Amino acid sequence: MSFSDDLVQWYQSNKRQLPWRDTHDAYVIWLSEIILQQTRVEQGLPYFYSFLEKYPDVSSFAAASEDDILKLWQGLGYYSRGRNMLKTARMVQADYGGIFPEAYDQLIKLKGIGEYTASAISSFAANEPKAVVDGNVYRVLARYFGINEPINSPKGIKIFQSAANELLDKHRPGIHNQAMMEFGAMLCRPKNPACNICPVSEGCYAFANNAVNLLPVKLNKIKIRERYFNYFLVADEHTLVMNRRGDKDIWANMYDLPLIETDTLLPPDGLLALPQLKALFGDDIKIDEIFPVIKHVLTHQRLFVRFIKLQHHHIELKEQWFITDRNNLKKLALPKVIFIFLKNIFNL
DNA sequence: AAAACGGGGAT
DNA sequence: ATCCCAGTTTT
């Protein structure tokens, strides 16, 4: 019995039942793989269902608008995944007649599909012998073979890909890949791995050398930027002023409120200089209510978000601002922190 | 080669 | 708090 055989055997009797397993539809597999990038299965599952229901095939996906896709993606994060999916769906519709490709060399050219995802789709859908290397596989390989090269160094990435390629069972690459990942997710976990019931502990370097908690090695302490967002609620009975975000910063092409970003800690009294507000909104405004600062944590940024309700009779709309009915909010893709605020304010 | 890109769960 | 999740793109 080889390492792969042992894992596959374990996989077949211990795998979770997941809706994207046991299909060979490349479109469905693609949908699941993009959703699951940097996302836990439990978090992605409801999105997978809603996307599949609304867009049962690539043609219907390609016909959607970016606003539609981002709205359905709302809350999942890494929104470029959604925007790239739309580009890819349209490319598949135009260049492949709506037939989702299954070949690695074609997949790798599509937006949002990198080495991992191209390997996953091609091996799951068509049994193409491409080895996946995701976070699970890095961990399994590092521990089992005692590889101490950092998993996120350029050298490490090549070493792990080579190791995965060598290990791949060319006769059943799809199930081999799934078994590697499921094993990493369920037994060979980052913390408290289940070495006591591990089917391959006997040949495991880390288990034999008491190095399970030392591997894999990862470097790069990401640095976190602090930002201070002052959002302004300009609303009447039925409508409010919204802002369409640009395509560079976080939450690209999504919708929030008129914003003043400051580069220092917010003043304790919560007051921005009134002249600054008048310069932005016009003279006819007054601060109505200042809400407590909300700390919103992202991977690379810590946001200190403060909402300020303004009284107004007339305001001047800036370039990316527009007035919309409250009822239209259900159609706009909102960042989590904006969504929560508006939901609470308007009892949505 | 680094940095950027969300949000949430486990420890 | 820290890590990391079925990673990819941009700088």
mmCIF file of all heavy atoms in Angstrom, chain B:
data_model
loop_
_atom_site.group_PDB
_atom_site.id
_atom_site.type_symbol
_atom_site.label_atom_id
_atom_site.label_comp_id
_atom_site.label_asym_id
_atom_site.label_seq_id
_atom_site.Cartn_x
_atom_site.Cartn_y
_atom_site.Cartn_z
ATOM 1 P P DA B 1 11.943 35.527 -6.650
ATOM 2 O OP1 DA B 1 13.396 35.366 -6.694
ATOM 3 O OP2 DA B 1 11.074 34.399 -6.497
ATOM 4 O "O5'" DA B 1 11.491 36.674 -5.632
ATOM 5 C "C5'" DA B 1 12.395 37.624 -5.154
ATOM 6 C "C4'" DA B 1 11.657 38.654 -4.341
ATOM 7 O "O4'" DA B 1 10.646 39.314 -5.144
ATOM 8 C "C3'" DA B 1 10.925 38.087 -3.136
ATOM 9 O "O3'" DA B 1 10.956 39.050 -2.089
ATOM 10 C "C2'" DA B 1 9.489 37.910 -3.655
ATOM 11 C "C1'" DA B 1 9.355 39.104 -4.576
ATOM 12 N N9 DA B 1 8.434 38.927 -5.706
ATOM 13 C C8 DA B 1 8.302 37.846 -6.498
ATOM 14 N N7 DA B 1 7.398 37.989 -7.447
ATOM 15 C C5 DA B 1 6.914 39.275 -7.246
ATOM 16 C C6 DA B 1 5.932 40.030 -7.919
ATOM 17 N N6 DA B 1 5.248 39.593 -8.960
ATOM 18 N N1 DA B 1 5.687 41.275 -7.459
ATOM 19 C C2 DA B 1 6.389 41.715 -6.415
ATOM 20 N N3 DA B 1 7.339 41.098 -5.706
ATOM 21 C C4 DA B 1 7.545 39.864 -6.182
ATOM 22 P P DA B 2 10.552 38.645 -0.597
ATOM 23 O OP1 DA B 2 11.702 38.802 0.279
ATOM 24 O OP2 DA B 2 9.817 37.350 -0.642
ATOM 25 O "O5'" DA B 2 9.492 39.794 -0.273
ATOM 26 C "C5'" DA B 2 8.553 40.106 -1.243
ATOM 27 C "C4'" DA B 2 7.976 41.472 -1.035
ATOM 28 O "O4'" DA B 2 7.177 41.749 -2.193
ATOM 29 C "C3'" DA B 2 7.017 41.566 0.151
ATOM 30 O "O3'" DA B 2 6.892 42.919 0.549
ATOM 31 C "C2'" DA B 2 5.748 41.001 -0.454
ATOM 32 C "C1'" DA B 2 5.808 41.473 -1.912
ATOM 33 N N9 DA B 2 5.350 40.471 -2.883
ATOM 34 C C8 DA B 2 5.689 39.156 -2.954
ATOM 35 N N7 DA B 2 5.100 38.512 -3.940
ATOM 36 C C5 DA B 2 4.326 39.485 -4.557
ATOM 37 C C6 DA B 2 3.463 39.457 -5.668
ATOM 38 N N6 DA B 2 3.221 38.361 -6.376
ATOM 39 N N1 DA B 2 2.849 40.599 -6.006
ATOM 40 C C2 DA B 2 3.099 41.707 -5.293
ATOM 41 N N3 DA B 2 3.883 41.864 -4.236
ATOM 42 C C4 DA B 2 4.476 40.692 -3.911
ATOM 43 P P DA B 3 5.957 43.255 1.757
ATOM 44 O OP1 DA B 3 6.506 44.466 2.394
ATOM 45 O OP2 DA B 3 5.689 42.024 2.528
ATOM 46 O "O5'" DA B 3 4.607 43.673 1.005
ATOM 47 C "C5'" DA B 3 4.669 44.626 -0.042
ATOM 48 C "C4'" DA B 3 3.273 44.890 -0.565
ATOM 49 O "O4'" DA B 3 2.883 43.828 -1.470
ATOM 50 C "C3'" DA B 3 2.206 44.941 0.534
ATOM 51 O "O3'" DA B 3 1.324 46.013 0.236
ATOM 52 C "C2'" DA B 3 1.509 43.582 0.421
ATOM 53 C "C1'" DA B 3 1.634 43.305 -1.076
ATOM 54 N N9 DA B 3 1.619 41.898 -1.440
ATOM 55 C C8 DA B 3 2.231 40.858 -0.792
ATOM 56 N N7 DA B 3 2.061 39.696 -1.383
ATOM 57 C C5 DA B 3 1.280 39.995 -2.488
ATOM 58 C C6 DA B 3 0.751 39.202 -3.514
ATOM 59 N N6 DA B 3 0.942 37.884 -3.598
ATOM 60 N N1 DA B 3 0.021 39.813 -4.473
ATOM 61 C C2 DA B 3 -0.169 41.142 -4.387
ATOM 62 N N3 DA B 3 0.282 41.989 -3.466
ATOM 63 C C4 DA B 3 1.004 41.343 -2.537
ATOM 64 P P DA B 4 0.120 46.303 1.207
ATOM 65 O OP1 DA B 4 0.040 47.769 1.298
ATOM 66 O OP2 DA B 4 0.198 45.454 2.410
ATOM 67 O "O5'" DA B 4 -1.107 45.800 0.315
ATOM 68 C "C5'" DA B 4 -1.208 46.259 -1.039
ATOM 69 C "C4'" DA B 4 -2.433 45.656 -1.670
ATOM 70 O "O4'" DA B 4 -2.157 44.283 -2.019
ATOM 71 C "C3'" DA B 4 -3.670 45.645 -0.762
ATOM 72 O "O3'" DA B 4 -4.781 46.129 -1.491
ATOM 73 C "C2'" DA B 4 -3.826 44.190 -0.368
ATOM 74 C "C1'" DA B 4 -3.226 43.479 -1.577
ATOM 75 N N9 DA B 4 -2.685 42.162 -1.280
ATOM 76 C C8 DA B 4 -1.909 41.786 -0.216
ATOM 77 N N7 DA B 4 -1.563 40.520 -0.224
ATOM 78 C C5 DA B 4 -2.153 40.027 -1.374
ATOM 79 C C6 DA B 4 -2.169 38.751 -1.961
ATOM 80 N N6 DA B 4 -1.556 37.693 -1.433
ATOM 81 N N1 DA B 4 -2.856 38.597 -3.117
ATOM 82 C C2 DA B 4 -3.468 39.660 -3.642
ATOM 83 N N3 DA B 4 -3.533 40.900 -3.186
ATOM 84 C C4 DA B 4 -2.844 41.024 -2.038
ATOM 85 P P DC B 5 -6.088 46.505 -0.753
ATOM 86 O OP1 DC B 5 -6.703 47.598 -1.517
ATOM 87 O OP2 DC B 5 -5.823 46.645 0.681
ATOM 88 O "O5'" DC B 5 -6.983 45.204 -0.964
ATOM 89 C "C5'" DC B 5 -7.334 44.833 -2.290
ATOM 90 C "C4'" DC B 5 -7.977 43.478 -2.265
ATOM 91 O "O4'" DC B 5 -6.981 42.461 -2.013
ATOM 92 C "C3'" DC B 5 -9.031 43.300 -1.155
ATOM 93 O "O3'" DC B 5 -10.251 42.870 -1.734
ATOM 94 C "C2'" DC B 5 -8.457 42.203 -0.279
ATOM 95 C "C1'" DC B 5 -7.601 41.447 -1.277
ATOM 96 N N1 DC B 5 -6.566 40.592 -0.655
ATOM 97 C C2 DC B 5 -6.254 39.356 -1.244
ATOM 98 O O2 DC B 5 -6.831 39.035 -2.273
ATOM 99 N N3 DC B 5 -5.341 38.572 -0.653
ATOM 100 C C4 DC B 5 -4.744 38.965 0.470
ATOM 101 N N4 DC B 5 -3.853 38.153 1.009
ATOM 102 C C5 DC B 5 -5.054 40.217 1.075
ATOM 103 C C6 DC B 5 -5.962 40.995 0.486
ATOM 104 P P DG B 6 -11.568 43.015 -0.896
ATOM 105 O OP1 DG B 6 -12.729 42.374 -1.502
ATOM 106 O OP2 DG B 6 -11.558 44.449 -0.546
ATOM 107 O "O5'" DG B 6 -11.189 42.162 0.397
ATOM 108 C "C5'" DG B 6 -11.687 42.532 1.638
ATOM 109 C "C4'" DG B 6 -13.011 41.828 1.901
ATOM 110 O "O4'" DG B 6 -12.814 40.403 1.971
ATOM 111 C "C3'" DG B 6 -13.623 42.217 3.236
ATOM 112 O "O3'" DG B 6 -15.017 41.958 3.117
ATOM 113 C "C2'" DG B 6 -12.941 41.264 4.185
ATOM 114 C "C1'" DG B 6 -12.855 39.989 3.324
ATOM 115 N N9 DG B 6 -11.651 39.175 3.508
ATOM 116 C C8 DG B 6 -10.391 39.601 3.817
ATOM 117 N N7 DG B 6 -9.510 38.629 3.862
ATOM 118 C C5 DG B 6 -10.248 37.493 3.549
ATOM 119 C C6 DG B 6 -9.849 36.139 3.431
ATOM 120 O O6 DG B 6 -8.719 35.672 3.583
ATOM 121 N N1 DG B 6 -10.921 35.312 3.098
ATOM 122 C C2 DG B 6 -12.214 35.743 2.889
ATOM 123 N N2 DG B 6 -13.102 34.826 2.571
ATOM 124 N N3 DG B 6 -12.604 37.003 2.986
ATOM 125 C C4 DG B 6 -11.568 37.820 3.327
ATOM 126 P P DG B 7 -16.024 42.462 4.241
ATOM 127 O OP1 DG B 7 -17.318 42.749 3.586
ATOM 128 O OP2 DG B 7 -15.359 43.493 5.062
ATOM 129 O "O5'" DG B 7 -16.217 41.165 5.131
ATOM 130 C "C5'" DG B 7 -16.822 40.013 4.543
ATOM 131 C "C4'" DG B 7 -16.543 38.822 5.408
ATOM 132 O "O4'" DG B 7 -15.145 38.472 5.331
ATOM 133 C "C3'" DG B 7 -16.836 39.024 6.905
ATOM 134 O "O3'" DG B 7 -17.936 38.207 7.232
ATOM 135 C "C2'" DG B 7 -15.548 38.606 7.596
ATOM 136 C "C1'" DG B 7 -14.847 37.787 6.520
ATOM 137 N N9 DG B 7 -13.398 37.688 6.658
ATOM 138 C C8 DG B 7 -12.497 38.695 6.900
ATOM 139 N N7 DG B 7 -11.266 38.279 6.977
ATOM 140 C C5 DG B 7 -11.361 36.915 6.781
ATOM 141 C C6 DG B 7 -10.356 35.923 6.761
ATOM 142 O O6 DG B 7 -9.146 36.054 6.919
ATOM 143 N N1 DG B 7 -10.879 34.649 6.527
ATOM 144 C C2 DG B 7 -12.216 34.377 6.338
ATOM 145 N N2 DG B 7 -12.562 33.112 6.130
ATOM 146 N N3 DG B 7 -13.169 35.301 6.356
ATOM 147 C C4 DG B 7 -12.670 36.536 6.585
ATOM 148 P P DG B 8 -18.517 38.117 8.696
ATOM 149 O OP1 DG B 8 -19.966 37.984 8.528
ATOM 150 O OP2 DG B 8 -17.928 39.168 9.538
ATOM 151 O "O5'" DG B 8 -17.952 36.715 9.202
ATOM 152 C "C5'" DG B 8 -18.032 35.592 8.327
ATOM 153 C "C4'" DG B 8 -17.291 34.438 8.941
ATOM 154 O "O4'" DG B 8 -15.865 34.634 8.777
ATOM 155 C "C3'" DG B 8 -17.532 34.253 10.437
ATOM 156 O "O3'" DG B 8 -17.706 32.879 10.680
ATOM 157 C "C2'" DG B 8 -16.252 34.758 11.068
ATOM 158 C "C1'" DG B 8 -15.238 34.348 10.005
ATOM 159 N N9 DG B 8 -13.980 35.079 10.059
ATOM 160 C C8 DG B 8 -13.814 36.430 10.253
ATOM 161 N N7 DG B 8 -12.564 36.789 10.262
ATOM 162 C C5 DG B 8 -11.868 35.607 10.069
ATOM 163 C C6 DG B 8 -10.469 35.365 9.991
ATOM 164 O O6 DG B 8 -9.545 36.176 10.087
ATOM 165 N N1 DG B 8 -10.190 34.013 9.777
ATOM 166 C C2 DG B 8 -11.133 33.035 9.660
ATOM 167 N N2 DG B 8 -10.689 31.789 9.459
ATOM 168 N N3 DG B 8 -12.443 33.242 9.729
ATOM 169 C C4 DG B 8 -12.738 34.548 9.937
ATOM 170 P P DG B 9 -18.468 32.438 11.986
ATOM 171 O OP1 DG B 9 -19.796 31.972 11.570
ATOM 172 O OP2 DG B 9 -18.323 33.448 13.050
ATOM 173 O "O5'" DG B 9 -17.608 31.175 12.389
ATOM 174 C "C5'" DG B 9 -17.134 30.300 11.371
ATOM 175 C "C4'" DG B 9 -15.945 29.541 11.885
ATOM 176 O "O4'" DG B 9 -14.756 30.361 11.788
ATOM 177 C "C3'" DG B 9 -16.059 29.110 13.344
ATOM 178 O "O3'" DG B 9 -15.580 27.780 13.444
ATOM 179 C "C2'" DG B 9 -15.171 30.085 14.083
ATOM 180 C "C1'" DG B 9 -14.099 30.370 13.035
ATOM 181 N N9 DG B 9 -13.448 31.661 13.177
ATOM 182 C C8 DG B 9 -14.038 32.868 13.411
ATOM 183 N N7 DG B 9 -13.183 33.861 13.472
ATOM 184 C C5 DG B 9 -11.957 33.256 13.272
ATOM 185 C C6 DG B 9 -10.653 33.829 13.230
ATOM 186 O O6 DG B 9 -10.320 35.010 13.367
ATOM 187 N N1 DG B 9 -9.680 32.866 13.002
ATOM 188 C C2 DG B 9 -9.932 31.529 12.828
ATOM 189 N N2 DG B 9 -8.877 30.748 12.620
ATOM 190 N N3 DG B 9 -11.143 30.986 12.861
ATOM 191 C C4 DG B 9 -12.105 31.907 13.091
ATOM 192 P P DA B 10 -15.766 27.002 14.807
ATOM 193 O OP1 DA B 10 -16.381 25.723 14.439
ATOM 194 O OP2 DA B 10 -16.365 27.878 15.831
ATOM 195 O "O5'" DA B 10 -14.251 26.743 15.209
ATOM 196 C "C5'" DA B 10 -13.355 26.229 14.231
ATOM 197 C "C4'" DA B 10 -11.956 26.183 14.811
ATOM 198 O "O4'" DA B 10 -11.386 27.518 14.791
ATOM 199 C "C3'" DA B 10 -11.910 25.722 16.271
ATOM 200 O "O3'" DA B 10 -10.787 24.877 16.435
ATOM 201 C "C2'" DA B 10 -11.773 27.019 17.055
ATOM 202 C "C1'" DA B 10 -10.958 27.875 16.089
ATOM 203 N N9 DA B 10 -11.150 29.309 16.233
ATOM 204 C C8 DA B 10 -12.325 29.988 16.424
ATOM 205 N N7 DA B 10 -12.188 31.284 16.509
ATOM 206 C C5 DA B 10 -10.820 31.486 16.360
ATOM 207 C C6 DA B 10 -10.019 32.644 16.358
ATOM 208 N N6 DA B 10 -10.514 33.882 16.509
ATOM 209 N N1 DA B 10 -8.689 32.486 16.192
ATOM 210 C C2 DA B 10 -8.196 31.249 16.050
ATOM 211 N N3 DA B 10 -8.854 30.087 16.031
ATOM 212 C C4 DA B 10 -10.171 30.277 16.191
ATOM 213 P P DT B 11 -10.570 24.114 17.812
ATOM 214 O OP1 DT B 11 -10.013 22.776 17.486
ATOM 215 O OP2 DT B 11 -11.783 24.248 18.649
ATOM 216 O "O5'" DT B 11 -9.412 24.974 18.469
ATOM 217 C "C5'" DT B 11 -8.234 25.220 17.723
ATOM 218 C "C4'" DT B 11 -7.305 26.101 18.544
ATOM 219 O "O4'" DT B 11 -7.704 27.484 18.415
ATOM 220 C "C3'" DT B 11 -7.315 25.798 20.048
ATOM 221 O "O3'" DT B 11 -5.993 25.702 20.511
ATOM 222 C "C2'" DT B 11 -8.026 26.987 20.668
ATOM 223 C "C1'" DT B 11 -7.642 28.087 19.681
ATOM 224 N N1 DT B 11 -8.528 29.273 19.679
ATOM 225 C C2 DT B 11 -7.971 30.505 19.438
ATOM 226 O O2 DT B 11 -6.797 30.670 19.219
ATOM 227 N N3 DT B 11 -8.862 31.548 19.455
ATOM 228 C C4 DT B 11 -10.220 31.475 19.690
ATOM 229 O O4 DT B 11 -10.912 32.471 19.687
ATOM 230 C C5 DT B 11 -10.738 30.145 19.934
ATOM 231 C C7 DT B 11 -12.173 29.961 20.202
ATOM 232 C C6 DT B 11 -9.875 29.120 19.922
#
